[in-house]
mmCIF file of all heavy atoms in Angstrom:
data_model
loop_
_atom_site.group_PDB
_atom_site.id
_atom_site.type_symbol
_atom_site.label_atom_id
_atom_site.label_comp_id
_atom_site.label_asym_id
_atom_site.label_seq_id
_atom_site.Cartn_x
_atom_site.Cartn_y
_atom_site.Cartn_z
ATOM 1 N N THR A 5 112.824 49.731 302.951
ATOM 2 C CA THR A 5 113.660 51.030 302.879
ATOM 3 C C THR A 5 113.984 51.313 301.318
ATOM 4 O O THR A 5 114.253 50.347 300.578
ATOM 5 C CB THR A 5 115.097 50.745 303.561
ATOM 6 O OG1 THR A 5 114.781 50.458 304.872
ATOM 7 C CG2 THR A 5 115.871 52.005 303.491
ATOM 8 N N ALA A 6 113.857 52.579 301.056
ATOM 9 C CA ALA A 6 114.230 53.158 299.710
ATOM 10 C C ALA A 6 115.242 54.219 300.035
ATOM 11 O O ALA A 6 115.007 54.913 301.100
ATOM 12 C CB ALA A 6 113.103 53.568 299.025
ATOM 13 N N ARG A 7 116.130 54.577 299.210
ATOM 14 C CA ARG A 7 117.061 55.654 299.485
ATOM 15 C C ARG A 7 117.214 56.407 298.113
ATOM 16 O O ARG A 7 117.059 55.887 297.047
ATOM 17 C CB ARG A 7 118.462 54.955 299.715
ATOM 18 C CG ARG A 7 119.538 55.898 299.889
ATOM 19 C CD ARG A 7 120.884 55.126 300.008
ATOM 20 N NE ARG A 7 121.915 55.871 299.756
ATOM 21 C CZ ARG A 7 122.419 56.168 298.475
ATOM 22 N NH1 ARG A 7 121.863 55.722 297.487
ATOM 23 N NH2 ARG A 7 123.340 56.942 298.227
ATOM 24 N N THR A 8 117.313 57.753 298.301
ATOM 25 C CA THR A 8 117.444 58.684 297.145
ATOM 26 C C THR A 8 118.704 59.500 297.341
ATOM 27 O O THR A 8 118.912 60.099 298.369
ATOM 28 C CB THR A 8 116.123 59.607 297.117
ATOM 29 O OG1 THR A 8 115.030 58.843 296.752
ATOM 30 C CG2 THR A 8 116.355 60.540 295.815
ATOM 31 N N ALA A 9 119.457 59.445 296.322
ATOM 32 C CA ALA A 9 120.655 60.303 296.174
ATOM 33 C C ALA A 9 120.392 61.515 295.272
ATOM 34 O O ALA A 9 119.909 61.291 294.015
ATOM 35 C CB ALA A 9 121.827 59.626 295.764
ATOM 36 N N TRP A 10 120.308 62.708 295.701
ATOM 37 C CA TRP A 10 119.994 63.955 294.915
ATOM 38 C C TRP A 10 121.282 64.887 294.682
ATOM 39 O O TRP A 10 121.821 65.127 295.695
ATOM 40 C CB TRP A 10 118.900 64.711 295.558
ATOM 41 C CG TRP A 10 118.365 65.856 294.765
ATOM 42 C CD1 TRP A 10 118.764 67.153 294.681
ATOM 43 C CD2 TRP A 10 117.323 65.704 293.508
ATOM 44 N NE1 TRP A 10 117.998 67.805 293.713
ATOM 45 C CE2 TRP A 10 117.171 66.992 293.156
ATOM 46 C CE3 TRP A 10 116.598 64.601 293.139
ATOM 47 C CZ2 TRP A 10 116.236 67.178 292.118
ATOM 48 C CZ3 TRP A 10 115.745 64.871 292.048
ATOM 49 C CH2 TRP A 10 115.580 66.279 291.625
ATOM 50 N N ASN A 11 121.334 65.354 293.538
ATOM 51 C CA ASN A 11 122.310 66.336 293.260
ATOM 52 C C ASN A 11 121.793 67.578 292.525
ATOM 53 O O ASN A 11 121.108 67.384 291.540
ATOM 54 C CB ASN A 11 123.488 65.784 292.368
ATOM 55 C CG ASN A 11 124.177 64.721 292.956
ATOM 56 O OD1 ASN A 11 124.804 64.884 294.015
ATOM 57 N ND2 ASN A 11 124.144 63.493 292.371
ATOM 58 N N SER A 18 118.912 66.383 289.651
ATOM 59 C CA SER A 18 118.380 65.017 289.375
ATOM 60 C C SER A 18 118.736 64.090 290.448
ATOM 61 O O SER A 18 119.675 64.425 291.250
ATOM 62 C CB SER A 18 118.612 64.485 287.971
ATOM 63 O OG SER A 18 120.041 64.265 287.979
ATOM 64 N N GLY A 19 118.144 62.937 290.491
ATOM 65 C CA GLY A 19 118.568 61.894 291.564
ATOM 66 C C GLY A 19 118.291 60.482 291.051
ATOM 67 O O GLY A 19 117.877 60.277 289.937
ATOM 68 N N GLN A 20 118.601 59.644 291.973
ATOM 69 C CA GLN A 20 118.452 58.161 291.815
ATOM 70 C C GLN A 20 117.767 57.717 293.061
ATOM 71 O O GLN A 20 118.274 57.858 294.081
ATOM 72 C CB GLN A 20 119.591 57.567 291.506
ATOM 73 C CG GLN A 20 120.427 57.895 290.264
ATOM 74 C CD GLN A 20 121.276 59.111 290.631
ATOM 75 O OE1 GLN A 20 121.827 59.418 291.604
ATOM 76 N NE2 GLN A 20 121.364 60.015 289.591
ATOM 77 N N VAL A 21 116.552 56.991 292.861
ATOM 78 C CA VAL A 21 115.932 56.316 294.029
ATOM 79 C C VAL A 21 116.257 54.884 293.881
ATOM 80 O O VAL A 21 116.150 54.202 292.857
ATOM 81 C CB VAL A 21 114.490 56.685 294.013
ATOM 82 C CG1 VAL A 21 113.670 56.055 292.824
ATOM 83 C CG2 VAL A 21 113.816 56.025 295.295
ATOM 84 N N GLU A 22 116.678 54.364 294.911
ATOM 85 C CA GLU A 22 117.101 52.833 295.090
ATOM 86 C C GLU A 22 116.120 52.108 295.936
ATOM 87 O O GLU A 22 115.805 52.645 297.093
ATOM 88 C CB GLU A 22 118.473 52.754 295.718
ATOM 89 C CG GLU A 22 118.915 51.354 295.979
ATOM 90 C CD GLU A 22 120.252 51.530 296.916
ATOM 91 O OE1 GLU A 22 121.195 51.373 296.175
ATOM 92 O OE2 GLU A 22 120.112 51.478 298.088
ATOM 93 N N LEU A 23 115.585 51.037 295.428
ATOM 94 C CA LEU A 23 114.726 50.256 296.251
ATOM 95 C C LEU A 23 115.712 49.244 297.046
ATOM 96 O O LEU A 23 116.093 48.295 296.606
ATOM 97 C CB LEU A 23 113.813 49.497 295.345
ATOM 98 C CG LEU A 23 112.856 50.197 294.442
ATOM 99 C CD1 LEU A 23 111.842 49.446 293.621
ATOM 100 C CD2 LEU A 23 112.092 51.377 295.279
ATOM 101 N N SER A 24 116.024 49.776 298.163
ATOM 102 C CA SER A 24 117.069 49.092 299.070
ATOM 103 C C SER A 24 116.795 47.894 299.653
ATOM 104 O O SER A 24 117.609 46.954 299.540
ATOM 105 C CB SER A 24 117.562 50.176 300.190
ATOM 106 O OG SER A 24 117.823 51.391 299.596
ATOM 107 N N GLY A 29 116.224 47.472 291.995
ATOM 108 C CA GLY A 29 116.622 48.478 291.022
ATOM 109 C C GLY A 29 116.891 49.831 291.607
ATOM 110 O O GLY A 29 116.507 50.136 292.666
ATOM 111 N N THR A 30 117.469 50.679 290.705
ATOM 112 C CA THR A 30 117.664 51.993 291.057
ATOM 113 C C THR A 30 117.215 52.823 289.795
ATOM 114 O O THR A 30 117.368 52.429 288.633
ATOM 115 C CB THR A 30 119.248 52.328 291.150
ATOM 116 O OG1 THR A 30 119.669 51.554 292.203
ATOM 117 C CG2 THR A 30 119.510 53.823 291.331
ATOM 118 N N TYR A 31 116.435 53.782 290.115
ATOM 119 C CA TYR A 31 115.614 54.534 289.006
ATOM 120 C C TYR A 31 115.928 56.121 289.116
ATOM 121 O O TYR A 31 116.033 56.664 290.199
ATOM 122 C CB TYR A 31 114.165 54.232 289.222
ATOM 123 C CG TYR A 31 113.873 52.791 289.263
ATOM 124 C CD1 TYR A 31 113.872 52.125 290.387
ATOM 125 C CD2 TYR A 31 113.704 52.154 288.101
ATOM 126 C CE1 TYR A 31 113.582 50.722 290.461
ATOM 127 C CE2 TYR A 31 113.494 50.682 288.087
ATOM 128 C CZ TYR A 31 113.420 50.034 289.300
ATOM 129 O OH TYR A 31 113.201 48.669 289.259
ATOM 130 N N GLU A 32 116.011 56.630 287.934
ATOM 131 C CA GLU A 32 116.251 58.142 287.888
ATOM 132 C C GLU A 32 114.947 58.971 288.241
ATOM 133 O O GLU A 32 113.909 58.508 287.995
ATOM 134 C CB GLU A 32 116.501 58.603 286.423
ATOM 135 C CG GLU A 32 117.852 57.915 285.945
ATOM 136 C CD GLU A 32 119.103 58.214 286.602
ATOM 137 O OE1 GLU A 32 119.292 59.466 286.931
ATOM 138 O OE2 GLU A 32 120.038 57.448 287.068
ATOM 139 N N VAL A 33 115.245 60.053 288.843
ATOM 140 C CA VAL A 33 114.096 60.971 289.245
ATOM 141 C C VAL A 33 114.489 62.444 288.886
ATOM 142 O O VAL A 33 115.716 62.777 288.954
ATOM 143 C CB VAL A 33 113.778 60.848 290.713
ATOM 144 C CG1 VAL A 33 113.007 59.688 291.058
ATOM 145 C CG2 VAL A 33 114.920 61.069 291.776
ATOM 146 N N SER A 34 113.548 63.256 288.473
ATOM 147 C CA SER A 34 113.831 64.547 288.042
ATOM 148 C C SER A 34 112.583 65.388 288.417
ATOM 149 O O SER A 34 111.541 64.996 287.833
ATOM 150 C CB SER A 34 114.309 64.657 286.647
ATOM 151 O OG SER A 34 114.012 65.857 286.060
ATOM 152 N N THR A 47 111.199 57.891 286.811
ATOM 153 C CA THR A 47 110.138 57.671 287.639
ATOM 154 C C THR A 47 109.820 58.862 288.493
ATOM 155 O O THR A 47 110.519 59.942 288.471
ATOM 156 C CB THR A 47 110.277 56.311 288.469
ATOM 157 O OG1 THR A 47 109.058 56.039 289.027
ATOM 158 C CG2 THR A 47 111.321 56.608 289.548
ATOM 159 N N SER A 48 108.714 58.710 289.253
ATOM 160 C CA SER A 48 108.506 59.897 290.080
ATOM 161 C C SER A 48 107.803 59.330 291.541
ATOM 162 O O SER A 48 107.370 58.244 291.535
ATOM 163 C CB SER A 48 107.508 60.815 289.523
ATOM 164 O OG SER A 48 106.246 60.030 289.318
ATOM 165 N N PRO A 49 107.724 60.303 292.534
ATOM 166 C CA PRO A 49 107.152 59.711 293.748
ATOM 167 C C PRO A 49 105.651 59.307 293.491
ATOM 168 O O PRO A 49 105.237 58.432 293.985
ATOM 169 C CB PRO A 49 107.159 61.087 294.607
ATOM 170 C CG PRO A 49 108.328 61.691 294.235
ATOM 171 C CD PRO A 49 108.367 61.581 292.669
ATOM 172 N N LEU A 52 105.708 55.795 291.955
ATOM 173 C CA LEU A 52 105.841 54.786 293.090
ATOM 174 C C LEU A 52 104.793 54.702 293.959
ATOM 175 O O LEU A 52 104.407 53.635 294.404
ATOM 176 C CB LEU A 52 107.105 55.293 293.875
ATOM 177 C CG LEU A 52 108.420 55.295 292.932
ATOM 178 C CD1 LEU A 52 109.515 55.934 293.597
ATOM 179 C CD2 LEU A 52 108.889 53.947 292.490
#
Side-chain angles (χ1 to χ4, degrees):
T5 304
R7 179 186 155 278
T8 299
W10 186 267
N11 295 300
S18 64
Q20 299 80 36
V21 61
E22 171 190 273
L23 304 181
S24 305
T30 300
Y31 305 93
E32 297 295 317
V33 291
S34 154
T47 192
S48 66
L52 296 169

